[in-house]
Every structure is written in C-alpha cells, then in structure tokens.
Amino acid sequence: MEKICIGVDVGGTGIKLGMFREDGTLIKKWDFPTDTSDNGSHVLPDIAKSIQTMTEESFHGKAELIGVGLGVPGPVQPTGYVEVGVNLNWREMYPARELSELLGGVRVEVGNDANVAALGEAWRGGGEGAANAVLITLGTGVGGGIIMDGEIVTGKHGLAGEIGHIHVRDGETEPCNCGAVGCLEQIASATGIVREAKRRLAKEKERESGLRAFGDKLTAKDVCDLGREGDALADEIMETVAKYLGETVAMLCMTIDPEIFIIGGGVSRAGAYLLDKIRVYYDRYMKISQNRGRVVLAELGNDAGIYGAAKLVLG
C-alpha cells in the first residue's frame, strides 16, 4: 500500500492541494475556490472532502494517508492556535485539530502560509539544499518566512517572518494595512509599486513617461517592464523599490545570517532586472563581510505553498 501525504495552501480566493509520495515526489495537484461564507466554517470541511475524494479516485482505497500539511494566512502560534485567519473570516481556531477530526484522526500540521512557502522553496525550490533560508514574497503585500536548521521560525507569538511590516521609510504619512506607517510592504509590494508610480506621476506632471498611458489601469508589471525597457521614470521607481529591499536584506543578514535569501511572488517575475538592483543595495549596506547569504529568485512559483505544507508532514 502506497503511503502519501497532502500539502494544502489555503488562500482567501482559492485553495491549492498537492498529493505527494513519502519521498517528496509530487503525484498530482489540484485546486478549488475558497468558500469564506458563514465565518469561513466551510473551508476545512471542503478541504477534507476534497482530500478524501481525490485520494479515493487516485488509489481506490489502496493508499495510506500519513498526514496533511496546512498553510494558512495569518500568524500561527506554536500551539497551532490561529487568532485571526486573514481573508478567511476565521477567529480563534485550531485548524489542524479540526481538520484532523474531519479526516478521522489523520495527523495534520499547520503553519503560516508565507512560512510554509519558505519551507517549500528551501526544500525543493530556489534554496534547495539550504538549511537556513529567508523567503521574501513580493505580491499584493510583502510576506516572508525564515527557515533555520531546516525548521520554520515562528517566534514566541507567531510573528517571525513578517518582513513586509518592517519599518523602512521615515516621513511616510499614509498608514499600511497593518496600521503602522513606512512599512516595506507600502513600497515593494505590487500595490506599493503602483502607489509609488502614481505619486511620482502626480508630482512630476511635466515629465514624459510611458507609464502615463496606462492611467488607472497601471500595474506593477507595467512599471517593471517599462523600467527594463529604459523608461527613466519607471526605472527610478524600481531603484527605489530595490533600495529598500536591499536595505532590508542587509538588516536581516546581520540579524539571522542565513545561507540564502529567496525573492519570490509576482513581482519577482521581473527576474534579473530586479535582482541585480537589489544586489547593488545589498552590497552597499552590507560591508562588514563578503562571506554572506546569496540573493536568488524563487523557483516553485505558486506551488511553493503545497511543497512546504507537505514538508511539514514529511519532516
């Protein structure tokens, strides 16, 4: 009888699942929309039903489910307690315990989604083979995860890895979604890049730039693409983004000193154009030693979460 585990990446709009062999080989992956109605009470039963259905269809009862790994949005305390499940309408839950009960007592491990993605990238992605890694995800927000000695670092209150809410800019007046001001997320996320661009366009009304043609439909990808193509204003905006990212990487390097920094999320699709800029500022702010963590791109894309979730179980 084949032994399998399931990795689950729970998002506010969609749930991604992967079925893995005990050796970490991905057998298949699938997804379905997240039902957040009724205070998110359908999320875990839907996951349990999907796992049971897919396992039966794939193995006709001839497989042993050895465990399920679960990545969820929001801080997860070491006890598995989730005070707030961001975008899921969850409050004060123990999702691993509840999912285990729905699956008849199967072992379930849970972690914050960004931390779990970091574990996946360190295991089978851009940081493969690294026991100590930091993932910085540049998406709608800025997320992060810290892996030390092959284990997720959650901290006493589940807040470790909240890299997007490190204060980097003095003089900011608009609040971040977290309630503070001057957070990295306000500058380096996809939302932040667009905000930076619109600010610059409004301030420099006479300056020519291809960014103006997009109007209110401007995206972070547009800024990255035009910057790479030589649009001066777009390139300056990406320099600003890279400056704060490079500064943050340097601070993290001197705080936890990982083997590798992995840059992921949608914005990371800018590739070498962005990565080279980050490295320039990393070098500028990190003069104490040349023997330090490398900065690389993530490789697993949207699959990082399911790989990391599976790793929670496989150890």
Side-chain angles (χ1 to χ4, degrees):
M1 181 175 285
E2 182 150 22
K3 294 183 178 181
I4 61 170
C5 76
I6 306 293
V8 186
D9 183 11
V10 184
T13 57
I15 297 171
K16 296 184 285 291
L17 302 94
M19 182 182 294
F20 294 80
R21 291 193 173 93
E22 200 173 14
D23 65 0
T25 302
L26 177 63
I27 301 170
K28 66 165 54 182
K29 58 183 179 179
W30 69 100
D31 60 77
F32 61 88
T34 309
D35 181 357
T36 58
S37 63
D38 301 323
N39 294 319
S41 62
H42 302 289
V43 173
L44 295 176
D46 286 351
I47 291 171
K49 182 178 179 180
S50 181
I51 289 172
Q52 291 165 336
T53 298
M54 192 62 69
T55 302
E56 179 60 33
E57 287 180 359
S58 301
F59 291 96
H60 306 290
K62 297 182 179 180
E64 179 187 352
L65 180 59
I66 60 174
V68 176
L70 197 64
V72 301
V76 179
Q77 294 192 14
T79 59
Y81 175 69
V82 175
E83 182 177 4
V84 178
V86 183
N87 301 325
L88 299 177
N89 298 321
W90 282 357
R91 294 291 186 278
E92 300 183 341
M93 291 181 61
Y94 287 86
R97 181 190 302 171
E98 293 184 30
L99 183 58
S100 178
E101 291 172 357
L102 290 167
L103 291 170
V106 169
R107 174 190 170 200
V108 179
E109 301 290 341
V110 65
N112 166 266
D113 54 359
N115 289 339
V116 168
L119 186 61
E121 282 289 345
W123 180 38
R124 291 291 173 89
E128 186 168 358
N132 301 280
V134 172
L135 173 68
I136 302 175
T137 56
L138 311 176
T140 304
V142 172
I146 301 169
I147 308 300
M148 298 300 287
D149 297 327
E151 301 289 337
I152 292 173
V153 177
T154 59
K156 177 66 175 179
H157 307 98
L159 296 173
E162 289 290 346
I163 294 167
H165 300 293
I166 293 174
H167 177 86
V168 295
R169 176 187 271 172
D170 292 332
E172 178 62 63
T173 57
E174 295 181 17
C176 176
N177 288 331
C178 73
V181 293
C183 295
L184 179 66
E185 180 170 299
Q186 291 182 278
I187 304 159
S189 66
T191 307
I193 291 170
V194 171
R195 191 182 71 137
E196 285 290 307
K198 289 183 175 179
R199 280 182 168 183
R200 289 290 297 273
L201 288 168
K203 183 178 179 180
E204 303 178 40
K205 296 183 187 301
E206 304 303 318
R207 189 170 180 184
E208 293 185 6
S209 171
L211 295 173
R212 297 191 186 279
F214 295 97
D216 290 337
K217 295 182 178 180
L218 180 68
T219 67
K221 182 179 184 300
D222 298 328
V223 181
C224 292
D225 288 348
L226 282 178
R228 188 190 298 109
E229 293 166 8
D231 185 284
L233 181 57
D235 189 56
E236 288 171 19
I237 292 163
M238 294 310 299
E239 281 288 330
T240 299
V241 171
K243 172 187 180 296
Y244 288 112
L245 282 168
E247 181 180 324
T248 300
V249 169
M251 288 191 292
L252 291 168
C253 185
M254 288 183 281
T255 305
I256 57 177
D257 187 25
E259 297 171 59
I260 198 163
F261 292 94
I262 308 164
I263 308 298
V267 175
S268 73
R269 295 192 187 105
Y273 169 69
L274 176 61
L275 203 65
D276 289 347
K277 289 181 180 295
I278 293 172
R279 287 170 175 158
V280 167
Y281 289 99
Y282 178 35
D283 289 345
R284 179 178 298 178
Y285 296 119
M286 183 61 197
K287 294 294 188 185
I288 195 169
S289 175
Q290 292 299 309
N291 186 22
R292 61 196 185 203
R294 296 178 294 122
V295 183
V296 302
L297 292 172
E299 295 180 2
L300 294 177
N302 290 332
D303 290 343
I306 61 172
Y307 272 91
K311 182 63 172 170
L312 288 176
V313 175
L314 296 174

